[in-house]
Amino acid sequence: MSVEGFTNKADAQGLGVFRADDFRVSNGANLGDPVADAGDMMLDDIYQLSPNARSWRLNLAASDGLAHLTVLEGAQIGTYGAAVHLDCCATFMAPDGSIVEALVLVELAPGTELIAATYLLPLAKISPRTDYALVSVDTDTPRQKFAGLACVSFTRGTHITMASGAQCPIEDIRVGDRVLTRDNGVQEVRWIGQQTVRATGAFAPIVLAPGAMNNSGELRLSPNQRLFVYQREDRLGAGRAEVVVKADFLVNDDTVTRSDGGFVDYYQILFDHHEFIYAEGIATESLTVDMRTSPALPREVQDKLGLRRSNRATQGRPDPFDIGEGMLDAAIAADILRRASSV
């Protein structure tokens, strides 16, 4: 399978969004209106998702700490090159009392400040024919919420290979501990982050069963996290042995699944540079500080580490090839990559 022609995009993020027209007020002051920017939404309005609604892939590139977002080529929706504004985080309550947060993204007409399109990015699952009451609109935290989607995280209990070869649960690792990395030997941990979030939608962890990617034990990690694969046989036609793939692209509902529901403890691990470390025996990326993730980090960490930490120190070797969405059929992706690395 040839992957020629694909261009990797720095600081890029692929998002599943709904058109504003598909999420409308079914009861309230703005009856019939689609979800809009913060200035036009009214608390207590009831929204419903259209039964015909579909999720569209919106690909965005970030700059200036998410101050500027731009639609990338290849997106299913949006105008290539158009600016997108993170308008607000809207919080809705379902009839059963569950809470759903969603980001409202506004695309601007080229060269203007006029709204060309509005999109809804749910941070948890929303269902058709269900009433969602708008309970709050927050314009202060959308950058932090958006950044959280890009942060790569391991779940509690994930075993990380330390400098000594010992397998240590990630929740027991501390700043200053020494961890084995794939490219740069032993490296000291500079920061550990931890959050407990609802394991739904964009935050539902991806679960790799033992052996799914030659991992020794069950591996649970955030959807955006990439796994490193060394192809002993180039089954992808990538033209190189070293490739990386997002966990989200491997879901096959068999050996790789999405665990949706309840809560999850996520941990982020940060080094001087972006590294690939060993989690349950396979190489998986650490957190990188870049335009997408920096707003999610504490201010003191941003000031101390800065964006200079985003680059990987690989002693002149090229970065591994990044397998994009759609390059592999998810139903067979894990099996192909596992076989390619086991030949």
Side-chain angles (χ1 to χ4, degrees), residues 3-341:
V3 289
E4 233 174 12
F6 178 78
T7 302
N8 293 319
K9 304 290 184 179
D11 299 318
Q13 183 81 353
L15 309 165
V17 302
F18 291 105
R19 297 180 188 272
D21 286 346
D22 287 330
F23 195 65
R24 291 180 174 271
V25 178
S26 59
N27 190 3
N30 290 330
L31 182 64
D33 289 350
V35 68
D37 60 274
D40 288 336
M41 287 194 287
M42 298 290 292
L43 296 183
D44 298 325
D45 275 357
I46 307 296
Y47 287 78
Q48 279 199 5
L49 182 68
S50 167
N52 299 318
R54 59 161 290 189
S55 179
W56 301 83
R57 177 64 61 171
L58 177 64
N59 297 332
L60 298 177
S63 61
D64 299 336
L66 300 184
H68 300 287
L69 297 171
T70 307
V71 180
L72 286 175
E73 190 174 16
Q76 293 179 328
I77 199 170
T79 301
Y80 173 59
V84 173
H85 171 61
L86 280 171
D87 185 77
C88 66
C89 179
T91 302
F92 301 91
M93 180 178 288
D96 62 1
S98 61
I99 295 296
V100 174
E101 290 183 321
L103 297 179
V104 176
L105 289 75
V106 173
E107 180 182 326
L108 303 179
T112 76
E113 294 297 316
L114 300 177
I115 296 177
T118 303
Y119 309 111
L120 186 77
L121 172 59
L123 301 183
K125 183 180 179 180
I126 58 175
S127 303
R129 300 189 182 90
T130 301
D131 290 336
Y132 292 96
L134 180 64
V135 295
S136 72
V137 177
D138 180 7
T139 58
D140 293 328
T141 62
R143 287 190 188 183
Q144 289 81 359
K145 299 287 186 181
F146 186 90
L149 296 174
C151 287
V152 299
S153 310
F154 300 95
T155 66
R156 176 182 292 275
T158 301
H159 291 92
I160 305 297
T161 303
M162 308 302 288
S164 65
Q167 302 298 303
C168 182
I170 191 159
E171 64 268 23
D172 293 340
I173 296 176
R174 300 292 181 263
V175 172
D177 286 352
R178 291 157 56 83
V179 172
L180 180 65
T181 73
R182 185 187 186 278
D183 296 308
N184 298 299
V186 174
Q187 295 292 317
E188 286 192 5
V189 175
R190 299 303 186 191
W191 180 75
I192 288 278
Q194 190 272 324
Q195 295 84 32
T196 300
V197 299
R198 291 182 180 275
T200 59
F203 291 101
I206 305 302
V207 182
L208 280 71
M213 291 286 287
N214 295 318
N215 44 304
S216 58
E218 183 179 87
L219 177 59
R220 293 174 174 258
L221 62 170
S222 58
N224 203 51
Q225 197 154 359
R226 297 181 305 169
L227 297 105
F228 178 97
V229 177
Y230 184 87
Q231 298 187 97
R232 299 180 185 277
E233 179 180 294
D234 187 5
R235 298 196 174 209
L236 305 184
R240 69 184 75 170
E242 299 182 347
V243 299
V244 290
V245 60
K246 286 184 180 180
D248 197 32
F249 299 165
L250 298 174
V251 174
N252 56 22
D253 295 325
D254 180 17
T255 59
V256 184
T257 57
R258 195 183 313 276
S259 181
D260 199 312
F263 290 84
V264 60
D265 291 331
Y266 272 138
Y267 292 81
Q268 300 85 36
I269 186 167
L270 189 64
F271 301 91
D272 280 337
H273 300 279
H274 179 222
E275 303 285 357
F276 283 95
I277 62 176
Y278 294 93
E280 302 299 341
I282 61 174
T284 309
E285 71 175 330
S286 69
L287 179 64
T288 183
V289 181
D290 60 19
M291 296 298 181
R292 300 167 300 161
T293 60
S294 58
L297 301 177
R299 173 56 62 183
E300 62 271 20
V301 176
Q302 295 183 49
D303 292 343
K304 182 178 180 180
L305 299 180
L307 290 180
R308 62 188 173 85
R309 304 290 184 175
S310 63
N311 295 326
R312 295 176 61 235
T314 55
Q315 302 176 349
R317 296 197 303 277
D319 284 342
F321 185 87
D322 204 332
I323 299 172
E325 184 178 21
M327 289 185 178
L328 283 174
D329 182 349
I332 59 174
D335 187 55
I336 287 177
L337 292 170
R338 179 178 54 79
R339 290 174 180 272
S341 64

